Structure formats: structure tokens, C-alpha cells
């Protein structure tokens, strides 16, 4: 009889950045680690966000003992509002993470019935045959943890997102001594963050950013406006500290930014000396060199406060000559163009703009190569599996593991849906389960499939042609020539003749379809085929063609 084995199944976050989700299964018990979302790529037109496919879990719902969350970033908690109602499992997270989850669930009206359990950093929880210890790690958000998971086949360490900043702004440095202790006892498998596996050396300390903020607050002739992620609570703290030191009042502007800050202040993860924080209506009449503003828009998001300020479209703040704007974030791949346009706009309005290429205004929250190697050396796992990253990040991380002495055969580079099985006889990748992307489009989850995306791509590339066919209510016969309206296809003035010709073409075709009124589905297909062929011959484009029948 074969011994039961432990299955490790990534549902998201491997071979991609974002939507992190990991399943661990042993006999009748399943635990889930993180449930994140991913922002859509440029080819996913009109999609708001992407979440993991959880069909594997839905078929085994009664086995799920709990969802453990490593920290409060979107790529780790963002899918919860969509998945939690389907999974119905209790959540375990630290206090701040739990607060951020609560904000998210409430926003999406998914808070009712949610079982949120707070576990402090260093705390433990038993979930079926899994025993999970949440150990503190340093990341770009306070209260982040990694996981030490005891299972019937051995100990597993999941790094979460981490770096080894010895002088963090808030929160604790990564608990290295606990990891070293584990390494001495023997660790079966290490799962470790690969996001910055491309970067040699060490990630700079947050200290560097504090120093920049200090100079900016001291020297800026007018207002200082800092744009960052609303979840980057330690960055908000750095702004508050530097502003307070130079007698500036801090105004937090933008809904998500104020919601998160209020929650972090209430829970004690953000502190401000009395009188430092101001209300937006006090801005009027204050000397500009006494003002610091923290806001959203570091990714150039069109509806964010910073972009509206730059376009003179914000209710409270417009960018003025003499302002200093600090964009304190790394561009998420794909957002560079938007960010550059925002910076251009800000310069045009007369602002001084500081961003990561011109000043040390941001450090990221993930370990670079030396830190990754250090973790491998401390934990000394028997098996290693790089997580959180595109395929190249995972491959480079695997190479680092080889370099520190882990045998190649003991390193597993998985993709989403691969199943890694661990047992007394060893471990191997055994199968692949259903996994992939679920698209969230406005309020609907999962309704948008490949066909819809193909249509949107076609529309964005070649435009659309609507053919309006009027038929008589009495006889069902064609009344006059059809009308043709196009959008995004060709310049209708320049191609007037071609459009006219295509109207004739449809009229002739419909005439030939005989005396008796034809089936609409038949006409529909015929019109589409005829025009598609005609337009392609003329323009080498394939617009989407939509025939409409009106009875007159
Ligand atoms: Zn993170
Ligand atoms: Zn992450």
C-alpha cells in the first residue's frame, strides 16, 4: 500500500507576478496560503482584474481547514472578496492584514459570515494535520509573516514576501534566528519569494528613503506631494515623520489612501504626533511650505487623485508652480507609459518631480540575490521550490539554490496547476490540475471568457461596422438600401465610395435571397461573410460586423 503523500499545488503566482495562491493537501485536510489578484495585462481589454481558478478546491470544499494569509498586499488578499463566499473557510492572519482584508471584504459586500481570526506574528494555529507558525518577516508592509508548517511528512517553510532590512521603518526585521534553529532541526521543503531574484546584492534599507524624504521636506520651496500605494503604510509613516520634523502638516488625500490610513492609525500601525494630520478643508490659506500631501496615483491610474490634480480636475488640490511631487513606487510592468505621461503633465504645470530614476525615493520590499542565498543557507532545506515570480525569476532562483549546494534533482520549478508530491520515498511533480485565470469585469466574475476577449481585441484593432437592414413589417422584404455605420474602422470620408459600394453589395445580396423572407440567422451570417470578405480585400482589415434588422 502506498503511504499518503503531501501535495503542494500552486493555483497562482508561479510564472506570473500576482494572484498568489498555494494549496497544501494531506489526506482529508487542505490548507490554503494567500488568495491574491493580478492586474490585467494590456491584451486583456476591459478586464478589471484577474483571480485564480479554484475549481480544484470547490470539488474538495469539505476538506478545507483554513486560509492563512501572509500579508495585506493585493496580490495576496485581493481575490478574497470573490473567493471567500465560495470557499466559506476561516481566515487566519495578523492584525493589520486582517484589518486590510476587512476593508476589502466590506468594499465588495462580502464581509457577512466571514470568519476572520487574528494570529500575532510568532503565533501558531493548528489546521487539521497542519500546524502553522506565523514568523515575522520584513517587507514593505507591517505585520507581514512567513510560515513554518509542520506536516506529517516534515517541516515546510513558506517565506511569504520578504527582505532582510535590518533597519526597517516599522514592524520587525525578519526572524533569522528562528529560521536558523529550524535549519539545524531539518527542513523538508523551502518555498521562497523570487520577485527580485534577478537583482544581485542586497536590497537597500528603507533608511535610504527616509533620508530622501527628510531632504525634500527641508528644502522644497512649496508644497510636497507624495504619491504612493495606499497599502505602503511604512512609506506613509516616513512622510509623516519627515513632515513633522520640518513643521509641515500632512494631508491624506484619496479615498483608498484615507481608508487605509484611518484603519492603520486605529490599529496603531501608523503614528502621527498630535496636530500633524490635517483635514483637507484646512489647506486653503496655509503657507505652502507648511504643507505635505500623501496621495494615490503612483502608477498614473487615470482616476487617481494625483492624475486628477495634474489635470486640474481635483476638488481640493491643483498642481501649482513651486510644488514638489515625489512618485514613491516602482512602476508595475505595463504602467510605465501612464506614469511617464503623468510626470510630463506635472512638469508642464511647473512642478518639480522626483521619481525612482532621478532620486532614491523608493526601495522595494523583496530580497535580492544575496538575501535569497542567505535564507537558503539558514534554512538548509532538503527540497526547494521557488515561488512568486515569472518563469525567469523562478529559474534564476533555482540557479541560486544550486549555487549554495542544493542538488539539482531536489529543486522544483513549478507552474500554476502543477502538483508536487512529497512522501517518505522522495518527491516529484506528478500531475497537473485545472488552473488558470478567472477574469473579473466590473461586477461579473468569470463571465468573460476567451471569446469575449477575442472580440475585444478585434474591436480595438480593426473597429466595428454596424449594418442596419430595414425590412417591411408586412411583407418581410427589404426596404431600400441598408445603412452602414462604422467606428474605429476607416475614415468614412476617405472611404466614402467603399462604404457605398458595400451598401449596394448587401442590397444586391438580400435581393437575391428570393421572394420569401429569409431566416434572420441566415441573413445575419450571409451579411457578415460578404462584408468581411469585401472589406478585407479593400483594406486588409477585419472589423467586427454586426447586422441589425429593424422592421418598419
Ligand atoms: Zn507583498
Ligand atoms: Zn507579493
Amino acid at each position: 500500500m502506498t503511504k499518503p503523500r503531501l501535495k503542494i499545488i500552486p493555483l497562482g503566482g508561479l510564472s506570473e507576478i500576482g494572484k498568489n495562491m498555494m494549496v497544501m493537501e494531506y489526506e482529508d485536510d487542505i490548507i490554503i496560503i494567500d488568495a491574491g489578484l493580478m492586474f490585467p495585462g494590456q491584451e486583456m481589454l476591459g478586464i478589471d482584474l484577474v483571480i485564480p481558478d479554484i475549481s480544484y478546491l470547490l470539488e474538495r470544499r469539505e476538506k478545507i481547514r483554513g486560509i492563512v494569509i501572509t500579508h495585506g498586499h493585493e496580490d495576496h488578499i485581493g481575490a478574497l472578496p470573490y473567493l471567500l463566499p465560495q470557499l466559506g473557510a476561516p481566515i487566519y492572519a495578523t492584525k493589520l492584514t486582517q484589518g486590510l482584508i476587512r476593508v476589502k471584504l466590506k468594499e465588495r459586500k462580502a464581509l457577512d459570515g466571514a470568519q476572520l481570526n487574528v494570529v500575532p506574528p510568532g503565533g501558531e494555529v493548528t489546521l487539521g494535520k497542519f500546524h502553522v507558525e506565523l514568523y515575522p518577516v520584513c517587507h514593505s508592509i507591517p505585520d507581514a509573516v512567513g510560515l513554518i508548517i509542520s506536516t506529517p511528512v516534515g517541516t515546510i517553510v513558506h517565506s511569504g514576501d520578504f527582505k532582510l532590512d535590518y533597519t526597517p521603518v516599522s514592524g520587525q526585521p525578519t526572524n533569522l534566528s528562528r529560521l536558523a534553529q529550524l535549519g539545524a532541526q531539518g527542513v523538508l521543503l523551502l518555498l521562497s519569494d523570487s520577485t527580485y531574484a534577478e537583482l544581485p546584492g542586497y536590497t537597500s534599507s528603507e533608511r535610504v528613503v527616509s533620508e530622501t524624504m527628510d531632504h525634500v521636506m527641508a528644502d522644497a520651496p512649496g508644497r510636497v506631494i507624495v504619491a504612493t500605494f495606499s497599502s505602503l503604510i511604512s512609506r506613509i509613516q516616513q512622510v509623516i515623520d519627515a513632515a513633522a520634523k520640518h513643521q509641515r502638516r500632512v494631508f491624506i488625500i484619496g479615498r483608498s489612501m484615507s481608508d487605509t490610513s484611518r484603519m492603520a492609525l486605529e490599529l496603531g500601525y501608523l503614528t502621527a504626533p498630535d496636530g500633524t494630520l490635517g483635514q483637507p478643508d484646512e489647506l486653503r490659506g496655509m503657507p505652502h511650505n507648511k504643507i505635505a500631501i500623501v496621495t494615490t496615483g503612483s502608477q498614473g491610474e487615470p482616476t487617481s487623485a494625483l492624475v486628477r490634480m495634474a489635470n486640474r480636475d481635483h476638488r481640493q488640490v491643483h498642481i501649482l508652480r513651486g510644488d514638489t511631487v515625489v512618485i514613491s513606487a516602482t512602476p508595475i510592468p505595463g504602467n510605465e507609459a501612464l506614469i511617464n505621461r503623468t510626470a510630463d503633465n506635472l512638469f508642464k504645470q511647473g512642478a518639480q518631480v522626483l521619481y525612482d530614476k532621478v532620486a532614491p525615493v523608493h526601495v522595494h520590499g523583496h530580497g535580492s540575490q544575496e538575501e535569497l542565498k542567505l535564507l537558503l543557507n539558514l534554512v538548509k532545506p532538503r527540497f526547494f521550490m521557488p515561488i512568486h515570480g515569472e518563469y525567469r525569476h523562478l529559474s534564476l532562483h533555482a540557479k541560486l539554490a544550486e549555487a549554495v549546494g542544493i542538488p539539482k534533482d531536489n529543486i522544483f520549478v513549478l507552474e500554476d496547476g502543477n502538483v508536487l508530491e512529497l512522501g517518505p520515498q522522495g518527491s516529484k511533480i506528478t500531475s497537473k490540475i485545472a488552473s488558470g485565470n478567472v477574469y473579473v469585469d466590473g461586477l461579473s466574475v468569470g463571465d468573460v471568457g476567451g471569446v469575449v476577449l477575442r472580440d475585444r481585441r478585434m474591436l480595438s484593432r480593426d473597429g466595428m461596422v454596424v449594418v442596419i437592414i430595414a425590412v417591411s413589417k408586412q411583407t418581410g422584404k427589404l426596404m431600400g438600401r441598408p445603412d452602414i455605420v462604422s467606428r474605429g474602422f476607416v475614415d468614412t470620408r476617405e472611404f466614402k465610395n467603399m462604404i457605398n459600394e458595400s451598401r449596394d453589395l448587401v442590397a444586391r445580396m438580400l435581393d437575391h435571397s428570393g421572394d420569401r423572407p429569409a431566416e434572420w440567422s441566415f441573413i445575419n451570417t450571409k451579411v457578415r461573410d460578404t462584408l468581411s470578405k469585401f472589406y478585407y480585400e479593400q483594406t486588409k482589415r477585419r472589423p467586427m460586423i454586426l447586422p441589425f434588422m429593424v422592421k418598419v
Side-chain angles (χ1 to χ4, degrees), residues 127-144:
L127 302 168
K129 292 188 194 68
F130 297 93
H131 180 81
V132 186
E133 174 185 335
L134 290 70
Y135 72 94
V137 296
C138 172
H139 183 40
S140 45
I141 188 167
D143 244 10

Side-chain angles (χ1 to χ4, degrees), residues 106-383:
K106 205 169 160 193
E107 244 172 46
R108 287 273 157 199
K109 302 191 173 38
L111 189 56
D112 277 355
Q115 310 161 53
L116 292 166
N117 304 285
V118 173
V119 183
E124 299 167 41
V125 53
T126 300
L127 302 168
K129 292 188 194 68
F130 297 93
H131 180 81
V132 186
E133 174 185 335
L134 290 70
Y135 72 94
V137 296
C138 172
H139 183 40
S140 45
I141 188 167
D143 244 10
V145 296
L147 308 173
I148 298 162
I149 305 161
S150 310
T151 77
V153 300
T155 304
I156 297 173
V157 174
H158 183 298
S159 75
D161 281 354
F162 81 102
K163 62 175 172 180
L164 301 178
D165 195 339
Y166 302 106
T167 51
V169 177
S170 41
Q172 312 177 32
T174 301
N175 190 346
L176 297 178
S177 54
R178 177 77 183 103
L179 291 169
Q181 189 189 8
L182 277 176
Q185 291 163 359
V187 170
L188 181 67
L189 172 72
L190 169 67
L191 312 170
S192 176
D193 177 18
S194 314
T195 313
Y196 276 86
E198 288 170 320
L199 294 190
Y202 291 90
T203 299
S204 317
S205 170
E206 295 281 344
R207 253 311 127 82
V208 176
V209 179
S210 292
E211 282 163 18
T212 314
M213 290 293 175
D214 191 62
H215 293 309
V216 173
M217 296 290 176
D219 301 341
R223 303 183 299 185
V224 175
I225 300 170
V226 182
T228 189
F229 295 111
S230 57
S231 66
L232 242 179
I233 290 162
S234 55
R235 195 59 40 79
I236 303 172
Q237 184 69 60
Q238 287 171 309
V239 176
I240 293 175
D241 292 346
K245 188 173 161 197
H246 298 285
Q247 292 81 45
R248 287 177 188 261
R249 291 195 79 187
V250 179
F251 299 87
I252 295 172
I253 293 192
R255 204 178 59 116
S256 61
M257 189 64 90
S258 13
D259 284 355
T260 317
S261 309
R262 192 174 316 123
M263 190 271 300
L265 280 163
E266 275 166 21
L267 295 181
Y269 290 93
L270 202 54
T271 52
D274 279 345
T276 309
L277 294 177
Q279 292 300 322
D281 50 344
E282 300 168 56
L283 272 167
R284 207 177 278 274
M286 264 192 94
H288 284 179
N289 61 358
K290 295 286 168 230
I291 296 175
I293 292 171
V294 189
T295 189
T296 53
S298 63
Q299 299 299 307
E301 308 93 315
T303 55
S304 66
L306 182 67
V307 171
R308 299 211 321 271
M309 288 175 194
N311 290 307
R312 321 203 130 267
D313 181 34
H314 195 273
R315 206 154 43 86
Q316 285 133 343
V317 184
H318 290 172
I319 297 297
L320 304 170
R321 186 161 294 283
D323 285 347
T324 301
V325 179
V326 181
I327 300 177
S328 182
T330 321
I332 295 174
N335 290 350
E336 290 91 347
L338 278 176
I339 300 171
N340 291 341
R341 199 185 311 152
T342 306
D344 285 342
N345 244 329
L346 292 164
F347 274 117
K348 273 186 206 161
Q349 308 283 335
Q352 174 70 19
V353 189
L354 301 176
Y355 48 101
D356 63 346
K357 286 198 189 106
V358 301
V361 292
H362 176 70
V363 294
H364 55 76
H366 302 267
S368 305
Q369 288 178 355
E370 293 307 314
E371 291 155 278
L372 301 179
K373 283 199 260 181
L374 185 60
L375 183 69
L376 281 157
N377 279 326
L378 281 174
V379 175
K380 297 193 197 67
R382 183 159 157 227
F383 299 109

